[in-house]
Amino acid sequence: MEPSPTSSVLQSAPSIASSSSKTPRILACVLCQHRKIKCDRHFPCANCTKANVKCTPSTPAPARKRRRPNQDLQERLARCEELLKEYATEKPDDPAAPPRRPQAPLYDDPKPKWQPAGKLVQEDGGVRFIDNFLIGTVYDELRAMRQIVETDEPEETSPESMTPDDHSELILGADSPEQGIEDLWPEAGQVFRLWQVYLDRVNPLTKIIHVPTLQPYLAEAITRSHNVPKSVEALLFSIFLMAAIALTPDECQSLLGQSREEALQRYSKGVRLTLLRMNFLKSNDLNTLQALVIYLISLQGRYNRHAAWILNGIVIRMAQKMGLHRDGELLGLGPFDTEMRRRVWWQIIMVDAKYAMFSGLSHTLLPRNWDTKTPKNVNDADIYPSATEPFQDRDGPTEMIFCLLTYKFAKFMVDNPGLEQMLIAPQTADMQDTPGALPEEQMKKYRHTCEILGKELIDMLDKYCDPQAGPVHEMAIAMRKFIVDKIQELITPPKLQKEFGTEIRNSKDNTFKIAVATLEHNEQNYMSSKDRGFIWFSLLHFQPDIFLYMAGQLCHRTEGNLVERAWRQVEVVYTFHPELFDVSNKTYSTIAIFILKAWRKREETVYSRTGHPPETPFYIEKLRASMPNDDYKTEPTPPNPYTPSSLADGQEIDATGFDQFLGGLLDGPQLEWDMFSGAPVNNGSMPSFGMYGLGGPPPEW
């Protein structure tokens, strides 16, 4: 007998019931999903209990409804398949065709003679650059398909689908869920003070932002309005950070009611958290990139230069992803977007060239096919988002003069890729003991190009600079002199220097002279910028490695004009960098040891020659009072494991292994990767480079 329909239904009921009574899936709590850590799925979970925060269970997304086939969507999908097949089945070269003439390797020509224009595609609220036009067309089709799906039936997203998935914490450290962004925001009155400091002291030397466009967000930010985009919030935090750097410790205490160290930690954390919570690695927003570039500038002099250079590589890749390496006119962008992208790109070039040189590297890793033009000589008031006609250079002075000057130098470095080697190791064939010295013919070529650079800088100042137009123009004049004098010092053959034959006999003597001259150039910068509000910029370029190298040389060099010039620079450095008296810092303690050792040697020399000891300068008395070990004050020091044994023994440093601009003398055995996670920077094996007024324990970034 066949079972009746009713019995069939009854027999299948248990299976249906068992299916419907299946144990529901327990999801990780909201906090663990956001932090991307393993949750024990107990409520409250162990992580929330440890963090002392409320544990909120997450709910699964509702079941999706089945959609009907969309004709337009299917047509676009078919179009994508056709494009991909076309891309994948390009006709290969005919083996029967005559062989092509051999071509020179690509690296022989630094820039290709032709390159495709590329394409900008819309993605995640911004634009992304793609070299291949065909792939760009596919992206356009895919974007249209997503819009069809989202318009047809918007999906409800669960908290799990909204968690960050770009692994940004690998770069800026882990998020701090218990820390609210609003807690890090400055008070209403302080916002405008920091903004004004940035406009007066930082913006004229960087020109990364467009002031008229960004300023309206300040009022909304003060009222904690939710209308402020996250990218703008990150940009404002980076501006507050740079403003704090531009303040002296006394100014910071007076304006902000907190120490400069505390302000740097607070706003650094604000930048990191806002960038982390907006998934900055996936962002194609120009404000986000501006925030990163300003943050990168703030690290100079405050953190290990190698780690900062590595981070700058990430910034370059993000800029390349957004197409900033291609000029906006070529990509069909409006005049305003084109100009702002140029400003950001050229600032990235300048920062990358600087960090590469400071790291002892001979060249940068910019994209080979970049063609972004230099920014125009225009004021912020001359450019606006609704412009339709390309902007033209002003004939007279503008607020861009300092940046245009530095961009000219950056372009000079890029167009002369072998020049960095000479700047990093400025030794010539005149010195027979110099390993790997550049040929004299190549040196003559570099000298000629440097002379051309000097003339071009003078022409630029004659055309766009007016000393009466404001402090930034005076700073530009001083910077031109610094650039020209610095390069001239490096490219002048030792045989043509007045000290040759007396104090300069070999490459080591020449390196000592260059180290002294470098600090003298720094002194000129300090004096020229201290009354204009730009001394922060000059102090950022202080190089502790150069200073330590000179101190080590003074341990055995006791007489001569170069020695007297060196001791004068010791006094200048301790005057402008009082943070060096903080001997709890490993780097500064090492410098103090060799300064005291060199001074003992100087006392012996002067006493044996005159019968009277020299007058003890203020920095020696302060260092002697600060050093914890009395042996450092009176007796020769034992070898320091952190420095070369030859230095500790009072022997001469081999300058051939010394990076001329910042060198590897103080580098620890390993690189500190957790540079942004809030852990103390100075861990005993890594120097923590400071700025003026940065005493006490090293700050947390």
Side-chain angles (χ1 to χ4, degrees), residues 18-37:
S18 61
S19 175
S20 61
S21 61
K22 184 179 179 180
T23 304
R25 180 187 175 194
I26 301 177
L27 300 178
C29 70
V30 174
L31 179 64
C32 291
Q33 288 181 2
H34 180 73
R35 298 179 63 185
K36 291 192 289 186
I37 58 177

Side-chain angles (χ1 to χ4, degrees), residues 255-305:
L255 292 177
L256 305 179
Q258 58 183 338
S259 69
R260 188 168 173 277
E261 218 176 275
E262 293 172 340
L264 294 180
Q265 295 180 27
R266 178 176 184 172
Y267 302 135
S268 293
K269 192 170 187 178
V271 178
R272 293 195 310 271
L273 290 183
T274 50
L275 290 174
L276 276 172
R277 295 177 184 180
M278 64 179 294
N279 296 342
F280 76 98
L281 287 180
K282 293 177 63 178
S283 174
N284 297 318
D285 186 85
L286 188 62
N287 289 331
T288 304
L289 190 62
Q290 290 171 318
L292 273 172
V293 174
I294 296 175
Y295 183 62
L296 197 65
I297 296 174
S298 76
L299 295 178
Q300 184 176 336
R302 298 195 303 129
Y303 202 81
N304 179 270
R305 61 195 178 278

Side-chain angles (χ1 to χ4, degrees), residues 117-130:
K119 186 180 179 64
L120 289 176
V121 297
Q122 297 286 335
E123 184 176 272
D124 294 330
V127 292
R128 187 162 80 86
F129 178 81
I130 295 179

